[in-house]
Amino acid sequence: MLLRPFIALSLLLTSSKALWPLPQHLSTGTTPLRLSPNFQIHLSGVYHPPADLVAAVERTYNYLRTDKLQALVPDRGASSLGAIQNANTLSSLTLSLTPASGKVKSISEEAIADVETRAEGYTLTVLADGSTAVLIANSTLGLFRGLTTFGQLWYELSGYTYTLTAPISITDAPAYPYRGLMLDTARSFFPLADIKRTLDAMSWVKMNTFHWHVVDSQSFPLVVPGFEALSEKGAYNPASVYTPKDVQDVVAYAAARGIDVIAEIDTPGHTSVISKAFPEHIACPEATPWSLYANEPPAGQLRLASPSTISFTADLISAAASMFPSKFFSTGGDEINANCYAKDASTQNDLSSQGKSFEQALDTFTQATHASVHAAGKRVVVWEEMVLAHNVTLRNDTAVMVWISSANVAAVAQKGFKIIHAASDYFYLDCGHGGWVGDNVNGNSWCDPFKTWQKSYSFDPAAGLTETQKGLVLGGQHLLWTEQSNPSNLDSIVWPRAASSAELFWFGPGGDVSKALPRLHDVAYRFIQRGVRAIALQPEWCALRAGACDLFA
């Protein structure tokens, strides 16, 4: 049962509308309070605090000093200056950690634990008289989430950092354990700085999973130990690669910000680039016309019936999985093109000699590759076709990303698998930008129209599910496929739209779009202050006048 929040009327006042995602339980008052120039954050009962918790505290200090976000009202808060100047001052925030096990773990350790076991809840109390504020959690990850919320309470005016809504009481925990963003770094390469900036932004809205679609048919930028030839011959250029050290850097950076990194090596489809280094393993490599052999160019799929290709793929997945500490690893499984195999003599010979059908061969291939993931102590993530389009053997703990349509969720639930919402009709960030294939004057993107933040915010994760099936939903994510995106538009195409699912899967469904918009404006403005080039949701005139630009205002 999802907790339903009590939202005080004072939520509509300026100094609490910056909270995103909305806490489960929030009450606020009407008393101004400002931070002391000597404001301090103290750790209580943690004699040797983990380094990443100390770093998180330092980042919080820095944001409090540098955000300088003014209230989004016409006078930017100037009419409250007198009340702010005469307000009580808050001198300190105490972090109190009460781990259930008695053992203090780092944020990084807790971030990569099985997603269904993580503790992210916290309580936060800020009194109106300026006495010490208190943040309590039973995990360092919970403290980190609470620090994120604390940093959102404050605005700046004339050198004062203030709120108008003390006292503030928050009890909070996520409705769903999985809240993610997928980035495709194969169709376009993204330097580490872009990925880290994205991870920062994710942490500011309490997202906890970075689904890294790191390779695909177009390029293979991941340097996998023992399989270096794949990146040497399959990356766009020698500089456009992610070395094992880069991966460690990304994983550590993400984990310290409460984010797990789930890598994906899509198989057996979307693997054309492997032919550059290992042509013996790829059917119909770069065959034309590509539309007969693949959903997009270049064509090419792993020869799934070949024993040597099965062994090669299992070893590749094993090596890649060892680079990532996450308890999840994705083997993909989407958009397998039957015609490619029908026209591939080698595959047909293998099927004939083994007396197997295509589906039987796919099952053998899947069991072997998934065994590599299981041997690494991880759970498999697959796209929905592995459950709905093919008859393959999957372990009960497999997580299924439903992407083709939200209408397919119920069918996956009926088979009893855990579900990650990733539906193109709600969460694809690349829709609505026109067709990207050439020689098609009137072409549109296949998943038109553009998916607004309001659309994703309106999604109901439990729609069409029984009470029992609702427990199968792990959460969901926004996704950016990068046929038409690269570092030049990464921030603008993702933010603040992707924050909508961050709140949806933290707070739960049923949020009011009109009441959410002023807070989402604050998200965008704060992101810009912190160096993320989020786009405007409305003209600034509207952002400063909550509700004035609603359709029937």
Side-chain angles (χ1 to χ4, degrees):
M1 180 68 67
L2 298 181
L3 296 173
R4 301 316 304 160
F6 166 71
I7 305 300
L9 292 177
S10 57
L11 176 63
L12 299 179
L13 297 177
T14 59
S15 285
S16 59
K17 76 177 187 182
L19 296 179
W20 195 285
L22 196 64
Q24 295 291 346
H25 291 268
L26 166 69
S27 67
T28 59
T30 58
T31 303
L33 180 70
R34 55 189 173 91
L35 291 185
S36 165
N38 299 314
F39 174 77
Q40 298 290 318
I41 300 177
H42 304 290
L43 290 169
S44 174
V46 184
Y47 299 106
H48 299 287
D52 54 12
L53 179 58
V54 174
V57 169
E58 288 300 317
R59 289 197 302 275
T60 302
Y61 275 129
N62 184 59
Y63 294 144
L64 291 171
R65 288 192 300 265
T66 62
D67 274 357
K68 298 187 182 302
L69 184 66
Q70 292 189 323
L72 293 182
V73 293
D75 70 354
R76 308 311 295 266
S79 57
S80 300
L81 181 58
I84 294 167
Q85 289 174 324
N86 294 316
N88 290 323
T89 59
L90 177 63
S91 297
S92 63
L93 168 67
T94 295
L95 309 187
S96 179
L97 182 63
T98 56
S101 66
K103 180 182 178 182
V104 176
K105 295 183 179 180
S106 67
I107 297 170
S108 299
E109 290 176 293
E110 293 173 347
I112 63 172
D114 189 288
V115 69
E116 296 181 81
T117 68
R118 295 177 204 157
E120 298 182 82
Y122 65 92
T123 62
L124 175 63
T125 304
V126 180
L127 299 179
D129 62 4
S131 56
T132 298
V134 179
L135 171 60
I136 302 173
N138 59 15
S139 68
T140 55
L141 186 56
L143 289 180
F144 179 63
R145 302 301 183 211
L147 280 171
T148 300
T149 298
F150 183 82
Q152 294 175 342
L153 294 173
W154 310 95
Y155 288 102
E156 193 274 342
L157 182 68
S158 299
Y160 298 106
T161 302
Y162 73 95
T163 177
L164 297 178
T165 58
I168 300 167
S169 178
I170 294 173
T171 302
D172 202 12
Y176 294 96
Y178 185 111
R179 307 172 307 281
L181 174 70
M182 190 219 76
L183 179 64
D184 162 23
T185 61
R187 291 167 178 84
S188 292
F189 180 82
F190 294 82
L192 293 189
D194 293 309
I195 294 175
K196 288 182 175 181
R197 189 176 65 257
T198 301
L199 292 168
D200 280 328
M202 291 171 62
S203 75
W204 300 335
V205 290
K206 300 186 177 72
M207 285 180 162
N208 68 353
T209 307
F210 179 61
H211 173 192
W212 195 354
H213 189 90
V214 62
V215 301
D216 209 290
S217 279
Q218 292 79 8
S219 77
F220 201 107
L222 182 66
V223 180
V224 181
F227 295 85
E228 290 85 355
L230 288 170
S231 53
E232 289 171 358
K233 297 184 178 181
Y236 283 132
N237 57 69
S240 296
V241 297
Y242 303 107
T243 67
K245 183 178 179 181
D246 292 333
V247 169
Q248 290 177 353
D249 190 12
V250 168
V251 167
Y253 194 90
R257 287 152 181 79
I259 298 171
D260 189 25
V261 178
I262 297 177
E264 179 181 352
I265 303 291
D266 203 354
T267 61
H270 290 274
T271 48
S272 175
V273 71
I274 291 175
S275 68
K276 301 300 182 184
F278 300 96
E280 67 273 21
H281 294 309
I282 298 298
C284 53
E286 300 187 13
T288 57
W290 62 263
S291 59
L292 298 181
Y293 300 94
N295 280 43
E296 65 177 57
Q301 302 180 142
L302 286 161
R303 285 184 166 132
L304 79 174
S306 164
S308 63
T309 299
I310 292 174
S311 178
F312 166 85
T313 308
D315 290 345
L316 170 62
I317 288 176
S318 179
S322 70
M323 301 172 71
F324 298 87
S326 174
K327 299 300 186 292
F328 277 128
F329 188 88
S330 175
T331 60
D334 62 315
E335 297 184 332
I336 302 171
N337 186 289
N339 186 59
C340 169
Y341 291 127
K343 298 295 177 62
D344 182 60
S346 177
T347 297
Q348 292 303 308
N349 288 337
D350 285 330
L351 291 175
S352 178
S353 65
Q354 296 166 27
K356 288 182 178 179
S357 67
F358 159 72
E359 287 292 333
Q360 290 172 327
L362 177 60
D363 184 43
T364 300
F365 176 91
T366 300
Q367 289 193 55
T369 53
H370 286 193
S372 293
V373 179
H374 301 147
K378 302 178 187 297
R379 296 169 63 180
V380 173
V381 181
V382 296
W383 297 109
E384 66 179 78
E385 291 97 318
M386 286 285 98
V387 173
L388 301 182
H390 303 291
N391 184 24
V392 298
T393 304
L394 300 174
R395 281 201 347 189
N396 292 337
D397 65 355
T398 301
V400 180
M401 291 187 171
V402 179
W403 70 275
I404 296 174
S405 171
S406 58
N408 297 339
V409 170
V412 174
Q414 287 172 6
K415 293 180 179 290
F417 292 104
K418 295 287 186 177
I419 294 164
I420 297 170
H421 289 295
S424 61
D425 48 330
Y426 283 88
F427 301 115
Y428 270 33
L429 293 164
D430 53 307
C431 304
H433 294 276
W436 60 271
V437 294
D439 195 24
N440 189 7
V441 175
N442 296 315
N444 292 314
S445 66
W446 73 271
C447 56
D448 272 2
F450 182 91
K451 302 301 181 285
T452 66
W453 75 266
Q454 295 97 325
K455 178 70 173 178
S456 52
Y457 194 75
S458 72
F459 183 71
D460 182 357
L465 303 181
T466 67
E467 286 301 315
T468 299
Q469 290 171 346
K470 289 176 184 178
L472 296 172
V473 178
L474 293 176
Q477 64 183 24
H478 265 91
L479 306 92
L480 179 58
W481 302 102
T482 59
E483 287 90 347
Q484 293 179 295
S485 296
N486 61 22
S488 68
N489 69 343
L490 172 62
D491 290 5
S492 61
I493 203 168
V494 174
W495 304 114
R497 270 197 297 163
S500 59
S501 67
E503 175 154 301
L504 168 68
F505 293 111
W506 179 281
F507 176 71
D512 186 308
V513 169
S514 294
K515 292 180 180 178
L517 180 55
R519 292 184 296 109
L520 194 56
H521 278 307
D522 267 282
V523 171
Y525 277 71
R526 193 180 298 276
F527 274 29
I528 291 169
Q529 290 293 95
R530 296 181 181 182
V532 174
R533 298 178 65 84
I535 62 166
L537 297 171
Q538 291 180 315
E540 186 158 332
W541 189 92
C542 303
L544 299 179
R545 295 164 176 83
C549 296
D550 285 356
L551 186 60
F552 299 106

